[in-house]
């Protein structure tokens, strides 16, 4: 996918322009030709947890909620908030928003007039551009990597807890570096054949060698009560930033991480108690 669209979502959304929201999985139109009058960044999801440290009096924001008006788009770490407008949805709070065609979860209704769309589930493009399909695992990797890079740069945060919409922690991720360049001979692409599970074909830039920009991470899976003590410790650590995605996407991400780990030589698959993920392409 276009680097400008995937890697700079906050900057690519401009006020007074028309956009179309597509389901990333099947390409169905979710929001048709919506003109964004204002595009505003939201504070981090856990900002309210820090208010007690900032204020010497009761939380002044306790009764205040941010609801986008018509034409507003509020951009969070892993989602955008939109006024529901004419889009059909259920008014019950915290109801999952499902793609009508492929039944993938795209987001959730957070109030009767506000919908949260996760950035891993929708592609947002200017109305004048045509939609082109993007391989699923490449898209998930790109969006998650961008979240890690933006937050690590802005907040000097390098540890992340990947949580599902059900509140459960699925993965603990520790960002090692963001300037890795992968170089691979076209004759030895066995590690990438694993990604055919998602229908992905990774195309090299040019020449006899394939090259990809990447970040390197350590991770710990937390499903089925694995690493519960570590997950609990990270939960109470202010240096760990939570990132929320649909639970199904968290499982997809865990599978992508596992496939990357198995592509490494056995001696390079672990660092201390963490597993090594070769890259987010």
């Amino acid at each position: 996918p276009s680097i400008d669209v995937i890697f700079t979502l906050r900057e690519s959304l401009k006020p007074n322009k028309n956009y179309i929201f597509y389901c990333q999985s099947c390409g169905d139109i979710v929001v048709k030709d919506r003109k964004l009058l204002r595009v505003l960044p939201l504070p981090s999801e856990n900002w309210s947890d820090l208010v007690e440290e900032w204020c010497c009096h009761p939380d002044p924001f306790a009764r205040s909620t941010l609801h986008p008006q018509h034409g507003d788009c509020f951009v969070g770490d892993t989602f955008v908030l939109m006024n529901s407008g004419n889009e059909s949805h259920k008014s019950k709070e915290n109801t999952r928003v499902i793609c009508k065609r492929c039944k993938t979860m795209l987001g959730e209704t957070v109030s009767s007039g506000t919908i949260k769309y996760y950035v891993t589930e929708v592609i947002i493009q200017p109305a004048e551009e045509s939609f082109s399909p993007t391989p699923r695992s490449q898209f998930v990797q790109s969006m998650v990597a961008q979240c890690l890079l933006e937050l690590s740069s802005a907040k000097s945060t390098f540890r992340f807890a990947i949580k599902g919409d059900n509140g459960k922690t699925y993965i603990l991720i520790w960002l090692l570096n963001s300037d890795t360049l992968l170089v691979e001979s076209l004759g030895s692409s066995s590690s990438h054949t694993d990604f055919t599970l998602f229908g992905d074909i990774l195309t090299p830039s040019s020449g006899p060698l394939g090259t990809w920009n990447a970040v390197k991470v350590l991770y710990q899976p937390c499903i089925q009560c694995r690493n519960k003590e570590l997950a609990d410790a990270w939960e109470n650590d202010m240096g760990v930033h939570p990132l929320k995605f649909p639970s199904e996407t968290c499982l997809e991400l865990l599978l992508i991480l596992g496939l990357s780990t198995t592509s490494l030589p056995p001696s390079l698959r672990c660092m201390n108690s963490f597993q090594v993920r070769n890259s987010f392409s």
Side-chain angles (χ1 to χ4, degrees), residues 232-254:
D232 290 343
W234 281 35
E235 180 77 26
N236 299 317
D237 191 330
M238 294 297 292
V240 177
H241 193 89
L243 292 175
K244 182 181 176 182
F245 298 102
S247 299
E248 295 86 348
T249 300
C250 294
L251 293 173
E252 284 183 81
L253 179 59
L254 187 57

Side-chain angles (χ1 to χ4, degrees), residues 42 66 76 107 123 151 163 214:
L42 286 170
L66 296 172
I123 293 178
L151 289 168
K163 295 176 173 288

Side-chain angles (χ1 to χ4, degrees), residues 42 47 60-69 74 81 93 110-111 114:
L42 286 170
W47 70 273
F61 309 108
R63 297 182 179 180
S64 301
T65 54
L66 296 172
H67 294 296
Q69 303 302 309
F74 295 166
L81 288 183
E93 291 191 1
V110 295
S111 72
T114 303

Side-chain angles (χ1 to χ4, degrees), residues 3-279:
I3 292 178
D4 290 338
V5 173
I6 297 301
F7 283 92
T8 57
L9 179 61
R10 291 175 186 265
E11 292 78 9
S12 65
L13 296 178
K14 303 295 183 181
N16 297 312
K17 287 192 66 174
N18 288 35
Y19 290 89
I20 298 177
F21 288 43
Y22 299 90
C23 171
Q24 195 281 323
S25 296
C26 71
D28 195 30
I29 293 179
V30 179
V31 178
K32 185 176 182 180
D33 206 12
R34 177 76 65 86
K35 186 173 184 178
L36 303 183
L37 302 177
R38 297 193 303 171
V39 180
L40 303 172
L42 286 170
S44 300
E45 287 190 71
N46 62 342
W47 70 273
S48 58
D49 297 337
L50 302 175
V51 170
E52 291 183 0
E53 304 294 331
W54 298 340
C55 300
C56 58
H57 48 78
D59 183 357
F61 309 108
R63 297 182 179 180
S64 301
T65 54
L66 296 172
H67 294 296
Q69 303 302 309
H70 180 73
D72 287 347
C73 179
F74 295 166
V75 184
D77 291 337
T78 63
F79 62 89
V80 296
L81 288 183
M82 298 282 294
N83 186 276
S84 58
N86 296 325
E87 311 306 324
S88 59
H89 67 285
K90 298 179 181 179
S91 60
K92 182 180 178 181
E93 291 191 1
N94 298 322
T95 299
R96 290 158 65 97
V97 175
I98 307 297
C99 174
K100 296 178 181 178
R101 178 189 290 176
C102 68
K103 309 306 179 185
T104 296
M105 178 186 174
L106 305 175
E108 52 191 302
T109 58
V110 295
S111 72
S112 59
T114 303
I115 297 180
K116 173 194 289 185
Y117 292 106
Y118 289 102
V119 297
T120 53
E121 313 308 316
V122 295
I123 293 178
I124 307 172
Q125 290 188 181
E128 64 270 15
E129 295 183 7
S130 59
F131 174 80
S132 57
T134 304
R136 177 64 182 165
S137 72
Q138 290 184 39
F139 186 84
V140 170
Q141 290 181 81
S142 297
M143 297 309 296
V144 173
Q146 177 58 25
C147 291
L148 301 184
L149 292 176
E150 286 187 355
L151 289 168
S152 64
S153 175
K155 304 178 183 298
S156 296
T157 297
F158 303 97
R159 290 181 296 160
F160 304 88
I162 306 299
K163 295 176 173 288
D165 61 282
N166 56 8
K168 295 182 179 179
T169 299
Y170 283 79
I171 316 168
L172 305 177
I173 290 181
W174 199 324
L175 176 62
L176 284 185
N177 60 52
S178 58
D179 57 357
T180 299
L181 179 66
L182 298 183
V183 181
E184 182 178 57
S185 169
L186 297 185
S188 59
S189 58
S190 59
S191 63
H192 292 143
T193 59
D194 294 333
F195 289 86
T196 56
L197 289 172
F198 301 90
D200 285 19
I201 300 176
L202 298 179
T203 305
S205 54
S206 62
L209 295 178
T211 60
W212 294 267
N213 293 318
V215 299
K216 187 177 290 291
V217 301
L218 305 178
Y219 71 98
Q220 288 277 23
C222 297
I223 58 174
Q224 299 177 341
C225 296
R226 295 178 62 182
N227 300 302
K228 186 178 185 305
E229 291 185 4
L230 182 60
D232 290 343
W234 281 35
E235 180 77 26
N236 299 317
D237 191 330
M238 294 297 292
V240 177
H241 193 89
L243 292 175
K244 182 181 176 182
F245 298 102
S247 299
E248 295 86 348
T249 300
C250 294
L251 293 173
E252 284 183 81
L253 179 59
L254 187 57
L255 179 57
I256 293 170
L257 292 167
L259 290 173
S260 175
T261 298
T262 57
S263 72
L264 296 173
S267 61
L268 300 179
R269 294 178 185 176
C270 293
M271 180 176 176
N272 296 333
S273 61
F274 282 81
Q275 297 181 62
V276 179
R277 202 288 186 214
N278 197 34
S279 70

